[in-house]
Short mmCIF file of all heavy atoms in Angstrom, two decimals:
data_model
loop_
_atom_site.label_atom_id
_atom_site.label_comp_id
_atom_site.label_asym_id
_atom_site.label_seq_id
_atom_site.Cartn_x
_atom_site.Cartn_y
_atom_site.Cartn_z
N CYS A 213 30.23 3.83 -10.84
CA CYS A 213 29.76 4.48 -12.08
C CYS A 213 28.62 5.44 -11.75
O CYS A 213 27.85 5.22 -10.82
CB CYS A 213 29.31 3.41 -13.06
SG CYS A 213 28.59 4.06 -14.57
N GLN A 214 28.51 6.46 -12.57
CA GLN A 214 27.43 7.44 -12.39
C GLN A 214 26.05 6.77 -12.48
O GLN A 214 25.10 7.22 -11.86
CB GLN A 214 27.58 8.53 -13.47
CG GLN A 214 26.72 9.75 -13.27
CD GLN A 214 26.96 10.46 -11.95
OE1 GLN A 214 26.09 10.49 -11.08
NE2 GLN A 214 28.14 11.03 -11.78
N SER A 215 25.95 5.68 -13.22
CA SER A 215 24.65 5.00 -13.32
C SER A 215 24.25 4.36 -11.98
O SER A 215 23.06 4.28 -11.67
CB SER A 215 24.67 3.93 -14.41
OG SER A 215 25.04 4.50 -15.63
N GLY A 364 31.47 16.41 -21.24
CA GLY A 364 31.44 15.63 -20.00
C GLY A 364 32.66 14.73 -19.96
O GLY A 364 32.74 13.76 -20.72
N CYS A 365 33.61 15.06 -19.09
CA CYS A 365 34.87 14.30 -19.03
C CYS A 365 34.96 13.52 -17.74
O CYS A 365 35.95 13.58 -17.01
CB CYS A 365 36.05 15.24 -19.20
SG CYS A 365 36.05 16.04 -20.81
N GLY A 366 33.91 12.77 -17.43
CA GLY A 366 33.96 11.80 -16.34
C GLY A 366 34.58 10.52 -16.88
O GLY A 366 35.22 10.51 -17.93
N GLY A 367 34.36 9.43 -16.16
CA GLY A 367 34.95 8.16 -16.58
C GLY A 367 34.51 7.76 -17.98
O GLY A 367 35.32 7.29 -18.78
N VAL A 368 33.24 7.98 -18.29
CA VAL A 368 32.73 7.58 -19.60
C VAL A 368 33.23 8.55 -20.68
O VAL A 368 33.70 8.14 -21.74
CB VAL A 368 31.19 7.49 -19.60
CG1 VAL A 368 30.69 6.97 -20.95
CG2 VAL A 368 30.69 6.57 -18.48
N GLY A 369 33.15 9.85 -20.39
CA GLY A 369 33.57 10.85 -21.37
C GLY A 369 35.05 10.75 -21.70
O GLY A 369 35.44 10.84 -22.88
N VAL A 387 35.14 19.02 -23.27
CA VAL A 387 34.29 20.06 -22.69
C VAL A 387 33.84 19.60 -21.30
O VAL A 387 33.32 18.49 -21.14
CB VAL A 387 33.03 20.30 -23.56
CG1 VAL A 387 32.23 21.49 -23.04
CG2 VAL A 387 33.39 20.48 -25.02
N ASP A 388 34.06 20.44 -20.30
CA ASP A 388 33.60 20.13 -18.94
C ASP A 388 33.54 21.43 -18.16
O ASP A 388 34.03 22.47 -18.61
CB ASP A 388 34.56 19.13 -18.27
CG ASP A 388 33.90 18.31 -17.16
OD1 ASP A 388 33.57 18.90 -16.10
OD2 ASP A 388 33.70 17.10 -17.35
N LEU A 389 32.91 21.39 -16.99
CA LEU A 389 32.87 22.56 -16.11
C LEU A 389 34.03 22.54 -15.12
O LEU A 389 34.36 23.56 -14.51
CB LEU A 389 31.56 22.57 -15.30
CG LEU A 389 30.27 22.88 -16.07
CD1 LEU A 389 29.05 22.58 -15.20
CD2 LEU A 389 30.26 24.35 -16.51
N ASN A 390 34.62 21.35 -14.96
CA ASN A 390 35.61 21.13 -13.91
C ASN A 390 37.01 21.17 -14.54
O ASN A 390 37.35 20.33 -15.38
CB ASN A 390 35.29 19.76 -13.28
CG ASN A 390 36.25 19.34 -12.19
OD1 ASN A 390 37.40 19.75 -12.17
ND2 ASN A 390 35.77 18.49 -11.31
N LYS A 393 39.13 18.06 -14.52
CA LYS A 393 38.75 17.06 -15.55
C LYS A 393 39.33 17.45 -16.90
O LYS A 393 39.73 16.60 -17.69
CB LYS A 393 37.23 16.96 -15.66
CG LYS A 393 36.53 16.60 -14.37
CD LYS A 393 36.53 15.10 -14.14
CE LYS A 393 35.82 14.79 -12.84
NZ LYS A 393 35.54 13.41 -12.66
N ALA A 408 32.91 24.70 -20.02
CA ALA A 408 31.52 24.84 -20.47
C ALA A 408 30.82 26.04 -19.85
O ALA A 408 29.72 26.41 -20.28
CB ALA A 408 30.74 23.57 -20.16
N VAL A 431 27.98 13.15 -22.94
CA VAL A 431 28.30 12.05 -22.03
C VAL A 431 27.97 12.44 -20.59
O VAL A 431 28.77 12.24 -19.67
CB VAL A 431 29.78 11.60 -22.18
CG1 VAL A 431 29.93 10.18 -21.65
CG2 VAL A 431 30.24 11.64 -23.62
N ILE A 432 26.81 13.08 -20.42
CA ILE A 432 26.36 13.48 -19.09
C ILE A 432 24.91 13.04 -18.88
O ILE A 432 24.56 12.45 -17.86
CB ILE A 432 26.48 15.01 -18.89
CG1 ILE A 432 27.90 15.48 -19.26
CG2 ILE A 432 26.18 15.38 -17.44
CD1 ILE A 432 28.05 16.98 -19.32
N PHE A 434 22.26 15.44 -19.78
CA PHE A 434 21.51 16.66 -19.50
C PHE A 434 20.97 17.25 -20.82
O PHE A 434 21.76 17.49 -21.74
CB PHE A 434 22.40 17.73 -18.84
CG PHE A 434 22.85 17.43 -17.45
CD1 PHE A 434 23.89 18.17 -16.89
CD2 PHE A 434 22.27 16.41 -16.68
CE1 PHE A 434 24.33 17.91 -15.60
CE2 PHE A 434 22.71 16.15 -15.40
CZ PHE A 434 23.74 16.88 -14.85
N VAL A 437 22.95 20.21 -22.16
CA VAL A 437 24.25 19.85 -22.75
C VAL A 437 24.04 19.17 -24.11
O VAL A 437 24.80 19.41 -25.05
CB VAL A 437 25.06 18.95 -21.78
CG1 VAL A 437 26.38 18.53 -22.42
CG2 VAL A 437 25.32 19.68 -20.47
N VAL A 454 25.26 9.69 -25.33
CA VAL A 454 25.76 8.58 -24.52
C VAL A 454 25.24 8.67 -23.09
O VAL A 454 24.91 7.67 -22.46
CB VAL A 454 27.31 8.57 -24.51
CG1 VAL A 454 27.85 7.35 -23.79
CG2 VAL A 454 27.88 8.65 -25.93
N GLY A 455 25.15 9.89 -22.57
CA GLY A 455 24.70 10.09 -21.19
C GLY A 455 23.25 9.65 -21.02
O GLY A 455 22.42 9.87 -21.89
N ALA A 456 22.99 9.01 -19.89
CA ALA A 456 21.62 8.56 -19.61
C ALA A 456 20.96 9.58 -18.69
O ALA A 456 21.37 9.75 -17.55
CB ALA A 456 21.67 7.17 -18.95
N LEU A 525 32.73 10.51 -6.18
CA LEU A 525 32.14 10.53 -7.54
C LEU A 525 31.29 11.78 -7.72
O LEU A 525 31.42 12.52 -8.70
CB LEU A 525 31.30 9.25 -7.76
CG LEU A 525 30.49 9.19 -9.06
CD1 LEU A 525 31.40 9.09 -10.28
CD2 LEU A 525 29.53 8.01 -9.05
N ARG A 532 38.05 7.60 -12.16
CA ARG A 532 37.18 6.48 -11.79
C ARG A 532 37.64 5.95 -10.45
O ARG A 532 38.83 5.65 -10.28
CB ARG A 532 37.30 5.39 -12.85
CG ARG A 532 36.08 4.48 -12.96
CD ARG A 532 34.81 5.22 -13.25
NE ARG A 532 33.82 4.45 -13.98
CZ ARG A 532 32.69 4.96 -14.43
NH1 ARG A 532 32.39 6.23 -14.20
NH2 ARG A 532 31.83 4.21 -15.08
N1 LIG B 144 28.73 20.88 -18.93
C1 LIG B 144 29.87 20.19 -19.09
N2 LIG B 144 30.27 19.22 -18.23
C2 LIG B 144 29.48 18.95 -17.18
C3 LIG B 144 28.25 19.64 -16.96
C4 LIG B 144 27.88 20.65 -17.89
N3 LIG B 144 26.76 21.36 -17.76
N4 LIG B 144 27.69 19.13 -15.85
C5 LIG B 144 28.52 18.15 -15.40
N5 LIG B 144 29.60 18.05 -16.20
C6 LIG B 144 30.72 17.10 -16.12
C7 LIG B 144 31.19 16.80 -14.71
O1 LIG B 144 32.10 17.80 -14.26
C8 LIG B 144 31.85 15.43 -14.88
O2 LIG B 144 33.24 15.55 -15.20
O3 LIG B 144 30.27 15.83 -16.57
C9 LIG B 144 31.12 14.80 -16.05
C10 LIG B 144 30.26 13.60 -15.66
O4 LIG B 144 31.13 12.61 -15.26
P1 LIG B 144 30.80 11.47 -14.15
O5 LIG B 144 29.96 12.06 -13.09
O6 LIG B 144 32.11 10.83 -13.80
O7 LIG B 144 29.86 10.46 -14.96
P2 LIG B 144 30.21 9.16 -15.82
O8 LIG B 144 30.35 7.97 -14.95
O9 LIG B 144 31.31 9.49 -16.78
O10 LIG B 144 28.84 8.96 -16.63
C11 LIG B 144 28.37 9.95 -17.52
O11 LIG B 144 27.30 8.39 -18.99
O12 LIG B 144 26.75 6.15 -19.02
C12 LIG B 144 26.33 7.42 -18.69
O13 LIG B 144 24.83 7.01 -16.85
C13 LIG B 144 26.05 7.58 -17.22
O14 LIG B 144 24.76 9.48 -17.68
C14 LIG B 144 26.00 9.06 -17.16
C15 LIG B 144 27.08 9.50 -18.14
#
Side-chain angles (χ1 to χ4, degrees):
C213 176
Q214 191 59 246
S215 304
C365 297
V368 184
V387 187
D388 205 290
L389 289 169
N390 178 333
K393 302 277 180 168
V431 201
I432 308 171
F434 291 166
V437 177
V454 186
L525 173 68
R532 205 57 152 186

